[in-house]
Amino acid sequence: MNKNIYFLAAVFVFLGLLIPIVFSDSLSPGYKSVSYCIKFNNLNEYSEYSLFAVCDTTMPETYVLNDIDGCYGMYKFCNFKVCAIEKTKVPTTLNLNRNAEITGSDLNWVHSNISNNNIICKDLNYRPMTQVKAENPITKVVDVMMLPNFTNSDSNFTKVKIIYTYTGGVSEEIPYTTESRPVSKYASTEEIKNIIISPKITSNEIGKNIYFGVIISLIAIIIISTILIIRKNKKKDI
Amino acid sequence: MTQPYIFYLLITIFLELGVYFFLLKRPILYILFYAILINCVTHPLATIFYYQFDNLILVEFGVFIIEVFLIKSLFEVNYKKAIIISLIANIFTTIIGLIVFII
């Protein structure tokens, strides 16, 4: 019976090893992953504000946005929003000037002030691009955006340009002329243009399903372990 | 995507229940309970690995190995019988699964 318990322990370890797979890119066959992030070209105009990138879905994260040259991205399933508050309204006890994830009591302060509308948030409404067809030369995608006026409710982010970086380090900048993401000129054929897919549609659905599957497995393993342990104890008693 | 997944899980449980019942000749509720548990361990893992590695034979072999241990432990049979039951159950469900997929 001990062997069975060791076996179940091994299955638990095995499930633990699955966690990185669960939270990794679920690449569709024939596709490769590309790095994706967003730059804000007018971040220097907001020196009187504390700005945060806030993801409150999937993998919640809150980061300070204070690096003018920083390129920001969140967990791939998260379409983050940008939140702002005047620096004069931030208590001096808070440490919000570092370029790092906000945690603990600082995070509680940020979220309670978002709930109370003291911190104004604006949705980016972007679709990250993290997968392209394997033969596509794109290796990195940077969306350049302009931060909105946080005091004006009608003001929204402006998409400025996209920077594609290709194999070999060559870059191509294309300005946005519509809301749609400009297509790389290197993706010259219609076939390549059309297969640039949104990870929001593909990975998220598979990811959710995988997460659901691991939970079912874990529950079943816990029940089986309990049954085997009860049986073992009963046999000992006899 | 979750709804079809549950549908396939239930079909697999139902098919393996038939194999277990035929080969073990034990009360149906007893077999049903363990068939649900065994498949709730292996089926989701098989689905995850199939999506990740796209190799049905490797995935089915892994399921076969895990089910041998689970059948042996839960139904308290010897390894020989556990291997036979797991092998038949998995060949049966794979064939039916492929037919359902093709249809």
Side-chain angles (χ1 to χ4, degrees):
Chain A
M1 192 60 71
N2 271 340
K3 278 182 187 172
N4 292 330
I5 290 166
Y6 286 132
F7 169 70
L8 285 167
V11 174
F12 268 113
V13 171
F14 172 73
L15 278 170
L17 293 173
L18 277 180
I19 290 169
I21 295 173
V22 171
F23 292 104
S24 70
D25 276 317
S26 298
L27 275 177
S28 309
Y31 286 81
K32 65 174 184 179
S33 53
V34 292
S35 67
Y36 175 87
C37 60
I38 297 171
K39 274 188 176 182
F40 300 103
N41 67 350
N42 59 339
L43 205 60
N44 56 338
E45 294 167 17
Y46 289 78
S47 56
E48 291 172 7
Y49 285 84
S50 284
L51 297 171
F52 317 103
V54 178
C55 170
D56 46 18
T57 58
T58 53
M59 298 282 282
E61 279 179 298
T62 301
Y63 278 89
V64 175
L65 297 180
N66 61 0
D67 180 1
I68 292 167
D69 298 319
C71 198
Y72 296 94
M74 284 277 187
Y75 180 64
K76 63 183 180 297
F77 300 153
C78 181
N79 287 0
F80 67 91
K81 54 190 175 188
V82 176
C83 302
I85 186 168
E86 286 173 41
K87 280 185 177 167
T88 52
K89 292 180 181 173
V90 178
T92 50
T93 49
L94 261 66
N95 180 19
L96 300 182
N97 291 321
R98 63 215 156 92
N99 185 23
E101 188 176 0
I102 303 172
T103 53
S105 57
D106 294 355
L107 184 65
N108 292 337
W109 182 88
V110 170
H111 281 279
S112 65
N113 278 278
I114 289 173
S115 306
N116 299 335
N117 295 324
N118 294 329
I119 296 179
I120 303 161
C121 295
K122 298 266 188 185
D123 283 323
L124 266 162
N125 291 324
Y126 73 103
R127 295 198 313 172
M129 181 177 154
T130 61
Q131 289 186 30
V132 294
K133 197 83 174 171
E135 57 265 31
N136 195 311
I138 296 169
T139 57
K140 186 181 177 186
V141 180
V142 178
D143 260 329
V144 180
M145 294 194 190
M146 195 184 278
L147 290 164
N149 180 348
F150 285 90
T151 55
N152 179 352
S153 59
D154 294 330
S155 178
N156 283 311
F157 291 90
T158 309
K159 291 174 180 172
V160 179
K161 62 183 175 183
I162 189 162
I163 305 169
Y164 290 110
T165 304
Y166 304 101
T167 316
V170 181
S171 290
E172 179 190 17
E173 293 188 14
I174 312 173
Y176 272 90
T177 50
T178 64
E179 279 299 296
S180 304
R181 182 172 284 136
V183 177
S184 156
K185 71 179 176 189
Y186 282 81
S188 53
T189 66
E190 283 303 315
E191 184 194 0
I192 293 177
K193 281 180 190 172
N194 292 335
I195 49 69
I196 294 173
I197 54 168
S198 159
K200 196 183 168 196
I201 296 164
T202 55
S203 310
N204 204 2
E205 287 303 308
I206 293 167
K208 270 188 200 168
N209 214 31
I210 289 172
Y211 189 64
F212 172 73
V214 170
I215 288 171
I216 289 181
S217 284
L218 275 173
I219 292 169
I221 288 169
I222 289 165
I223 295 169
I224 291 171
S225 308
T226 310
I227 291 168
L228 294 179
I229 290 165
I230 290 169
R231 272 190 199 167
K232 187 187 173 188
N233 290 338
K234 271 188 182 175
K235 279 182 184 173
K236 265 186 187 174
D237 292 342
I238 293 165
Chain B
M1 205 162 170
T2 302
Q3 198 178 346
Y5 173 73
I6 288 175
F7 170 74
Y8 288 115
L9 176 63
L10 290 176
I11 284 183
T12 308
I13 291 170
F14 177 75
L15 294 172
E16 293 209 358
L17 171 73
V19 175
Y20 295 163
F21 183 72
F22 181 74
L23 295 172
L24 287 164
K25 303 272 193 299
R26 293 192 194 174
I28 190 78
L29 285 178
Y30 170 86
I31 290 178
L32 175 65
F33 178 65
Y34 290 131
I36 290 170
L37 282 180
I38 290 168
N39 281 288
C40 281
V41 173
T42 56
H43 196 275
L45 295 180
T47 308
I48 289 167
F49 275 90
Y50 184 68
Y51 270 107
Q52 292 294 324
F53 303 111
D54 200 21
N55 188 330
L56 182 66
I57 293 169
L58 193 67
V59 167
E60 284 298 332
F61 182 72
V63 169
F64 160 71
I65 298 291
I66 292 174
E67 287 195 1
V68 166
F69 287 102
L70 292 175
I71 289 166
K72 193 222 170 258
S73 307
L74 292 172
F75 292 116
E76 296 182 284
V77 293
N78 59 34
Y79 273 114
K80 189 182 168 188
K81 193 156 190 177
I83 289 168
I84 292 168
I85 293 169
S86 179
L87 189 66
I88 293 172
N90 282 294
I91 289 174
F92 184 54
T93 52
T94 305
I95 291 170
I96 297 293
L98 287 172
I99 291 168
V100 168
F101 180 76
I102 292 163
I103 291 168

